Amino acid sequence: MSDLSHTLPVATGSQGLDMPLVEAMMTQRAIRRVLPDPVDDAVVLKCIELALRAPTGANGQNWEFIVVRDRRVKEKLARRYRMAWRIYHRTVIRRVAARDESMAKTARAVQWQVDHFADIPVLVVACLRLGVRDGRVPYTPMPQAIASGYFGSIYPSVQNLLLAARALGLGACLITLPLWSATSARRILGLPLSVTPCCIVPLGWPRGRYGPTTRKPVEQVAHLDTYGNRVWLTESP
Ligand SMILES: Cc1cc2nc3c(=O)[nH]c(=O)nc-3n(C[C@H](O)[C@H](O)[C@H](O)COP(=O)(O)O)c2cc1C
């Protein structure tokens, strides 16, 4: 593998993987507009390697990451993304965006990503193999617990990937709309039925800069012991 320092753009001012964890967490956000400039395998594999430090149910490590660089594959996924976005925009987003400027801004960024999807240098498709270990399903028969245990085994790794990308100065974003039809996604990516595509992280050097994120204050979402006991809340939300 090549030396990561050769691939890091000076303009990002990135401290690389030495970036303090809190800084990475506080500034990691959905970066959809990225340059078509190449991103080395070494950088992508480093992000995935760090993703693999995450926990999985019963330590199953039943993840697979498809690194998509082939333009023809990206174009096929782009078509699926465009279709899903058109429906989602018409039925949900357009109405919200009409009265909420931050949603309108997000919608413009998503539209940019949809329009330029095949130009994005790398798409990492995070997948899960069925949760079977040693011929046994290591989950209780409760459907909700199964669902939580199943998809919950990919998202910690994806968050690690996003944080690693942030520290390296790469633009990244967790997206699911191109996978609206798992059947199409499986066909496009050559996935067997036993492998479920869960989300995609497009990676590229950012066109803009990382801006601040807007999130709810902790007092609004933290409850003591039972739901509704928001003892840390001093003002009404
Ligand atoms: C489960 C999940 C699915 C998402 N799917 C998409 C998607 O299909 N397309 C997209 O542009 N963003 C998608 N996002 C990104 C969110 O829109 C984004 O994280 C959110 O707006 C916060 O943005 P910020 O980090 O820039 O503040 C998804 C995020 C999550 C957690």
Side-chain angles (χ1 to χ4, degrees):
M1 274 205 254
S2 62
D3 179 355
L4 286 182
S5 60
H6 293 310
T7 58
L8 297 180
V10 179
T12 63
S14 166
Q15 298 149 296
L17 293 171
D18 292 333
M19 176 181 279
L21 179 63
V22 169
E23 187 183 340
M25 285 176 158
M26 294 295 281
T27 58
Q28 191 286 318
R29 65 171 312 168
I31 300 284
R32 298 182 179 85
R33 294 182 178 91
V34 295
L35 297 165
D37 304 11
V39 178
D40 282 5
D41 275 355
V43 175
V44 178
L45 292 181
K46 191 71 200 172
C47 289
I48 297 176
E49 190 182 8
L50 291 167
L52 302 184
R53 297 290 113 192
T56 45
N59 199 21
Q61 301 186 44
N62 47 332
W63 40 35
E64 308 284 351
F65 296 84
I66 318 292
V67 178
V68 178
R69 289 188 177 279
D70 185 332
R71 188 170 185 93
R72 286 165 305 177
V73 179
K74 287 190 274 184
E75 277 168 357
K76 286 180 191 167
L77 289 171
R79 258 199 303 280
R80 309 310 304 183
Y81 196 2
R82 184 177 298 281
M83 281 172 61
W85 169 240
R86 199 177 292 143
I87 295 167
Y88 190 45
H89 183 257
R90 269 195 208 143
T91 54
V92 181
I93 300 295
R94 192 166 55 182
R95 208 165 2 100
V96 182
R99 50 186 159 73
D100 177 351
E101 179 44 32
S102 87
M103 181 58 91
K105 204 170 151 211
T106 298
R108 287 193 291 275
V110 177
Q111 188 64 56
W112 189 98
Q113 189 181 54
V114 169
D115 292 341
H116 297 83
F117 206 57
D119 300 326
I120 295 173
V122 183
L123 307 175
V124 178
V125 187
C127 308
L128 282 174
R129 273 178 278 113
L130 287 174
V132 178
R133 276 183 93 202
D134 309 324
R136 289 177 297 121
V137 179
Y139 301 109
T140 67
M142 286 168 62
Q144 195 170 321
I146 289 173
S148 182
Y150 184 57
F151 289 105
S153 286
I154 199 67
Y155 286 109
S157 74
V158 174
Q159 180 65 14
N160 270 9
L161 200 159
L162 292 171
L163 288 171
R166 167 63 195 106
L168 291 168
L170 270 176
C173 174
L174 188 171
I175 64 170
T176 49
L177 283 175
L179 304 174
W180 196 291
S181 161
T183 309
S184 299
R186 277 205 181 88
R187 198 178 308 127
I188 293 167
L189 297 162
L191 301 174
L193 267 180
S194 56
V195 176
T196 302
C198 299
C199 67
I200 301 181
V201 180
L203 292 173
W205 302 112
R207 283 180 180 267
R209 295 189 315 159
Y210 277 93
T213 50
T214 45
R215 298 291 187 261
K216 290 180 181 177
V218 62
E219 307 81 30
Q220 269 186 29
V221 296
H223 311 248
L224 181 63
D225 297 325
T226 51
Y227 181 78
N229 190 23
R230 291 195 258 186
V231 294
W232 297 285
L233 191 64
T234 46
E235 289 168 27
S236 23

